Amino acid sequence: MISLDHIAVWSDNLYRTTIDLSRATGLGSADGGYFPGLGLGQKLLSLGDYVYIEVESIVDHRMIAERAPMALELERQSANGDCFAGLCLRSDNLDEIAEFARHRGIAPAENIAGGKVRMVPAQGSAPSVHAPDFWNSWRLGKPNIYYVPDLTNHSSLLPVQPGTGDVRGTGVISIEIGGTEPDLRAWLGDVVKPAELGIEIVYNGGPDGLYAVTFDSTDGPRTIRLNPITL
């Protein structure tokens, strides 16, 4: 089964963006750890119902100094402010990942460079098998799909750090994306229909990418609106 899993936000300052989002929504945040091979650090905000936002920025300055491709891309994308970088779906079935990869004409990516190191190792999940990789999906403003076989330790369940926010997300209501429904259907192929994702999808006809996410919470509906990724 395929459903929405997480949304990536790229920032030039991990802490500023997380604090801004927490203040705007009331949501608390958790430490998501970092990716040594990419130089990325993460903070997580749960939207409820096993969906979360991951705020990412470069925390390893060597990646910037060495002009690593990921660091360069994140620097470019966040030059004009925070942006929605990735719309990430999940499946608990490797056959669905393989089917989607075949549809996209690529092989599933087997890992994330350097893996992931967490502040609390026993918590959270780090899906590795996915298709396509971010370079061939996020940078096009399109969703990719991760293999998440078990939600028991899902990253959305990480306990929030005290004092970061008291509002609890209770589930995504809708997202606004660029393009049209036929565009998204063509991208996803037969692996899943947009209507089967269980959320309302608003198509604004603009360039591809995510523009807004609306979720319900213990303090009522909230909408987060940011720039889409620059194609």
Side-chain angles (χ1 to χ4, degrees):
M1 178 179 178
I2 296 176
S3 57
L4 180 61
D5 188 75
H6 64 283
I7 293 165
V9 171
W10 277 356
S11 165
D12 63 358
N13 186 320
L14 181 65
Y15 289 91
R16 173 192 54 76
T17 300
T18 303
I19 290 170
D20 285 350
L21 288 174
S22 288
R23 287 177 174 171
T25 63
L27 295 174
S29 64
D31 194 307
Y34 77 103
F35 293 92
L38 300 175
L40 287 177
Q42 283 188 339
K43 293 285 188 179
L44 309 180
L45 297 92
S46 177
L47 304 181
D49 198 21
Y50 301 104
V51 180
Y52 62 97
I53 285 178
E54 58 181 22
V55 182
E56 298 182 327
S57 69
I58 299 296
V59 295
D60 185 343
H61 289 202
R62 291 175 301 174
M63 294 292 186
I64 299 173
E66 295 169 4
R67 313 309 286 163
M70 180 69 177
L72 286 175
E73 183 64 13
L74 195 150
E75 182 180 62
R76 181 178 81 87
Q77 293 291 351
S78 62
N80 294 320
D82 301 337
C83 70
F84 282 125
L87 180 62
C88 307
L89 309 178
R90 69 167 176 264
S91 172
D92 59 1
N93 187 329
L94 278 173
D95 289 341
E96 290 181 329
I97 303 292
E99 179 186 350
F100 185 51
R102 284 193 297 271
H103 172 65
R104 298 307 325 153
I106 49 93
E110 295 293 336
N111 54 59
I112 298 173
K116 185 176 182 179
V117 178
R118 300 179 184 84
M119 188 70 73
V120 184
Q123 294 284 344
S125 60
S128 54
V129 179
H130 56 286
D133 60 24
F134 93 92
W135 210 258
N136 294 296
S137 54
W138 295 12
R139 291 175 69 248
L140 305 177
K142 297 292 193 181
N144 61 348
I145 305 177
Y146 288 87
Y147 176 54
V148 183
D150 184 3
L151 295 175
T152 303
N153 291 316
H154 194 255
S155 292
S156 66
L157 303 179
L158 279 167
V160 301
Q161 295 175 302
T164 58
D166 298 323
V167 173
R168 181 172 57 84
T170 57
V172 172
I173 299 171
S174 67
I175 58 173
E176 179 187 334
I177 65 173
T180 65
E181 184 175 359
D183 293 335
L184 183 58
R185 285 204 308 267
W187 175 263
L188 295 174
D190 294 331
V191 68
V192 65
K193 296 178 175 61
E196 296 172 343
L197 294 176
I199 56 174
E200 179 186 1
I201 302 177
V202 177
Y203 304 89
N204 65 23
D208 286 325
L210 179 64
Y211 290 71
V213 55
T214 298
F215 63 97
D216 210 348
S217 78
T218 53
D219 199 37
R222 296 282 189 273
T223 296
I224 299 172
R225 182 173 294 275
L226 298 174
N227 293 326
I229 202 164
T230 301
L231 305 180

mmCIF file of all heavy atoms in Angstrom, residues 69-90:
data_model
loop_
_atom_site.group_PDB
_atom_site.id
_atom_site.type_symbol
_atom_site.label_atom_id
_atom_site.label_comp_id
_atom_site.label_asym_id
_atom_site.label_seq_id
_atom_site.Cartn_x
_atom_site.Cartn_y
_atom_site.Cartn_z
ATOM 1 N N PRO A 69 28.146 17.948 -4.398
ATOM 2 C CA PRO A 69 26.930 18.192 -5.190
ATOM 3 C C PRO A 69 25.688 18.445 -4.352
ATOM 4 O O PRO A 69 24.897 19.332 -4.662
ATOM 5 C CB PRO A 69 26.802 16.919 -6.031
ATOM 6 C CG PRO A 69 28.190 16.420 -6.175
ATOM 7 C CD PRO A 69 28.864 16.744 -4.875
ATOM 8 N N MET A 70 25.482 17.651 -3.290
ATOM 9 C CA MET A 70 24.296 17.834 -2.458
ATOM 10 C C MET A 70 24.321 19.193 -1.770
ATOM 11 O O MET A 70 23.306 19.892 -1.706
ATOM 12 C CB MET A 70 24.223 16.718 -1.412
ATOM 13 C CG MET A 70 23.013 16.811 -0.496
ATOM 14 S SD MET A 70 21.490 16.454 -1.385
ATOM 15 C CE MET A 70 20.315 16.545 -0.051
ATOM 16 N N ALA A 71 25.493 19.567 -1.243
ATOM 17 C CA ALA A 71 25.615 20.865 -0.577
ATOM 18 C C ALA A 71 25.355 22.001 -1.555
ATOM 19 O O ALA A 71 24.680 22.982 -1.225
ATOM 20 C CB ALA A 71 27.005 21.000 0.049
ATOM 21 N N LEU A 72 25.884 21.879 -2.761
ATOM 22 C CA LEU A 72 25.669 22.911 -3.775
ATOM 23 C C LEU A 72 24.190 23.048 -4.125
ATOM 24 O O LEU A 72 23.670 24.159 -4.263
ATOM 25 C CB LEU A 72 26.465 22.581 -5.039
ATOM 26 C CG LEU A 72 27.970 22.798 -4.993
ATOM 27 C CD1 LEU A 72 28.606 22.303 -6.290
ATOM 28 C CD2 LEU A 72 28.299 24.278 -4.777
ATOM 29 N N GLU A 73 23.513 21.896 -4.267
ATOM 30 C CA GLU A 73 22.093 21.936 -4.645
ATOM 31 C C GLU A 73 21.249 22.536 -3.532
ATOM 32 O O GLU A 73 20.365 23.363 -3.786
ATOM 33 C CB GLU A 73 21.602 20.526 -4.992
ATOM 34 C CG GLU A 73 20.169 20.459 -5.471
ATOM 35 C CD GLU A 73 19.923 21.184 -6.784
ATOM 36 O OE1 GLU A 73 20.904 21.553 -7.470
ATOM 37 O OE2 GLU A 73 18.745 21.390 -7.128
ATOM 38 N N LEU A 74 21.518 22.125 -2.293
ATOM 39 C CA LEU A 74 20.747 22.689 -1.187
ATOM 40 C C LEU A 74 21.019 24.182 -1.049
ATOM 41 O O LEU A 74 20.100 24.963 -0.795
ATOM 42 C CB LEU A 74 21.069 21.957 0.112
ATOM 43 C CG LEU A 74 20.093 22.198 1.269
ATOM 44 C CD1 LEU A 74 20.026 20.969 2.169
ATOM 45 C CD2 LEU A 74 20.435 23.420 2.083
ATOM 46 N N GLU A 75 22.258 24.582 -1.241
ATOM 47 C CA GLU A 75 22.596 26.007 -1.176
ATOM 48 C C GLU A 75 21.837 26.789 -2.244
ATOM 49 O O GLU A 75 21.296 27.869 -1.996
ATOM 50 C CB GLU A 75 24.100 26.176 -1.352
ATOM 51 C CG GLU A 75 24.598 27.608 -1.251
ATOM 52 C CD GLU A 75 26.093 27.694 -1.431
ATOM 53 O OE1 GLU A 75 26.586 27.331 -2.524
ATOM 54 O OE2 GLU A 75 26.775 28.116 -0.493
ATOM 55 N N ARG A 76 21.778 26.218 -3.443
ATOM 56 C CA ARG A 76 21.057 26.882 -4.546
ATOM 57 C C ARG A 76 19.569 26.980 -4.243
ATOM 58 O O ARG A 76 18.947 28.030 -4.430
ATOM 59 C CB ARG A 76 21.275 26.100 -5.853
ATOM 60 C CG ARG A 76 20.590 26.719 -7.075
ATOM 61 C CD ARG A 76 20.893 25.918 -8.326
ATOM 62 N NE ARG A 76 20.071 24.748 -8.456
ATOM 63 C CZ ARG A 76 18.860 24.735 -9.042
ATOM 64 N NH1 ARG A 76 18.333 25.855 -9.502
ATOM 65 N NH2 ARG A 76 18.178 23.608 -9.136
ATOM 66 N N GLN A 77 18.990 25.873 -3.774
ATOM 67 C CA GLN A 77 17.552 25.837 -3.558
ATOM 68 C C GLN A 77 17.105 26.741 -2.408
ATOM 69 O O GLN A 77 15.994 27.275 -2.430
ATOM 70 C CB GLN A 77 17.099 24.404 -3.287
ATOM 71 C CG GLN A 77 17.251 23.460 -4.471
ATOM 72 C CD GLN A 77 16.291 23.754 -5.607
ATOM 73 O OE1 GLN A 77 15.375 24.573 -5.483
ATOM 74 N NE2 GLN A 77 16.495 23.098 -6.732
ATOM 75 N N SER A 78 17.948 26.911 -1.401
ATOM 76 C CA SER A 78 17.558 27.711 -0.238
ATOM 77 C C SER A 78 18.030 29.157 -0.307
ATOM 78 O O SER A 78 17.842 29.921 0.636
ATOM 79 C CB SER A 78 18.085 27.051 1.047
ATOM 80 O OG SER A 78 19.496 26.986 1.046
ATOM 81 N N ALA A 79 18.615 29.543 -1.431
ATOM 82 C CA ALA A 79 19.158 30.905 -1.565
ATOM 83 C C ALA A 79 18.076 31.969 -1.416
ATOM 84 O O ALA A 79 18.341 33.071 -0.916
ATOM 85 C CB ALA A 79 19.861 31.059 -2.911
ATOM 86 N N ASN A 80 16.853 31.645 -1.837
ATOM 87 C CA ASN A 80 15.758 32.611 -1.764
ATOM 88 C C ASN A 80 14.786 32.297 -0.633
ATOM 89 O O ASN A 80 13.642 32.742 -0.644
ATOM 90 C CB ASN A 80 15.007 32.646 -3.098
ATOM 91 C CG ASN A 80 15.869 33.185 -4.223
ATOM 92 O OD1 ASN A 80 16.622 34.140 -4.042
ATOM 93 N ND2 ASN A 80 15.789 32.560 -5.390
ATOM 94 N N GLY A 81 15.240 31.533 0.353
ATOM 95 C CA GLY A 81 14.391 31.200 1.492
ATOM 96 C C GLY A 81 14.087 29.721 1.561
ATOM 97 O O GLY A 81 14.444 28.938 0.675
ATOM 98 N N ASP A 82 13.417 29.334 2.626
ATOM 99 C CA ASP A 82 13.048 27.932 2.818
ATOM 100 C C ASP A 82 12.172 27.452 1.665
ATOM 101 O O ASP A 82 11.371 28.214 1.116
ATOM 102 C CB ASP A 82 12.271 27.760 4.125
ATOM 103 C CG ASP A 82 13.067 28.220 5.341
ATOM 104 O OD1 ASP A 82 14.310 28.246 5.260
ATOM 105 O OD2 ASP A 82 12.432 28.557 6.352
ATOM 106 N N CYS A 83 12.324 26.176 1.325
ATOM 107 C CA CYS A 83 11.503 25.636 0.239
ATOM 108 C C CYS A 83 11.112 24.203 0.539
ATOM 109 O O CYS A 83 11.787 23.485 1.290
ATOM 110 C CB CYS A 83 12.236 25.713 -1.098
ATOM 111 S SG CYS A 83 13.640 24.591 -1.251
ATOM 112 N N PHE A 84 9.978 23.787 -0.030
ATOM 113 C CA PHE A 84 9.601 22.386 -0.016
ATOM 114 C C PHE A 84 10.485 21.673 -1.033
ATOM 115 O O PHE A 84 10.437 21.968 -2.226
ATOM 116 C CB PHE A 84 8.138 22.204 -0.406
ATOM 117 C CG PHE A 84 7.161 22.532 0.692
ATOM 118 C CD1 PHE A 84 6.153 23.460 0.479
ATOM 119 C CD2 PHE A 84 7.230 21.899 1.915
ATOM 120 C CE1 PHE A 84 5.233 23.749 1.477
ATOM 121 C CE2 PHE A 84 6.312 22.174 2.923
ATOM 122 C CZ PHE A 84 5.315 23.111 2.703
ATOM 123 N N ALA A 85 11.296 20.723 -0.565
ATOM 124 C CA ALA A 85 12.235 20.057 -1.461
ATOM 125 C C ALA A 85 11.728 18.711 -1.950
ATOM 126 O O ALA A 85 11.932 18.359 -3.109
ATOM 127 C CB ALA A 85 13.584 19.867 -0.758
ATOM 128 N N GLY A 86 11.091 17.931 -1.065
ATOM 129 C CA GLY A 86 10.695 16.591 -1.461
ATOM 130 C C GLY A 86 9.326 16.203 -0.962
ATOM 131 O O GLY A 86 8.947 16.525 0.165
ATOM 132 N N LEU A 87 8.577 15.527 -1.821
ATOM 133 C CA LEU A 87 7.291 14.940 -1.454
ATOM 134 C C LEU A 87 7.498 13.438 -1.496
ATOM 135 O O LEU A 87 7.710 12.857 -2.570
ATOM 136 C CB LEU A 87 6.209 15.371 -2.446
ATOM 137 C CG LEU A 87 4.797 14.841 -2.201
ATOM 138 C CD1 LEU A 87 4.264 15.322 -0.860
ATOM 139 C CD2 LEU A 87 3.864 15.271 -3.328
ATOM 140 N N CYS A 88 7.474 12.797 -0.351
ATOM 141 C CA CYS A 88 7.942 11.417 -0.225
ATOM 142 C C CYS A 88 6.797 10.490 0.159
ATOM 143 O O CYS A 88 6.166 10.674 1.202
ATOM 144 C CB CYS A 88 9.048 11.340 0.812
ATOM 145 S SG CYS A 88 10.390 12.525 0.491
ATOM 146 N N LEU A 89 6.575 9.493 -0.674
ATOM 147 C CA LEU A 89 5.567 8.477 -0.415
ATOM 148 C C LEU A 89 6.243 7.262 0.197
ATOM 149 O O LEU A 89 7.470 7.162 0.219
ATOM 150 C CB LEU A 89 4.857 8.099 -1.716
ATOM 151 C CG LEU A 89 4.305 9.256 -2.551
ATOM 152 C CD1 LEU A 89 3.663 8.722 -3.834
ATOM 153 C CD2 LEU A 89 3.319 10.087 -1.762
ATOM 154 N N ARG A 90 5.451 6.325 0.699
ATOM 155 C CA ARG A 90 6.018 5.091 1.240
ATOM 156 C C ARG A 90 5.178 3.902 0.789
ATOM 157 O O ARG A 90 3.989 4.023 0.488
ATOM 158 C CB ARG A 90 6.079 5.122 2.766
ATOM 159 C CG ARG A 90 4.733 5.084 3.455
ATOM 160 C CD ARG A 90 4.830 4.801 4.961
ATOM 161 N NE ARG A 90 3.514 4.864 5.586
ATOM 162 C CZ ARG A 90 3.016 5.927 6.204
ATOM 163 N NH1 ARG A 90 3.738 7.025 6.307
ATOM 164 N NH2 ARG A 90 1.796 5.902 6.706
#
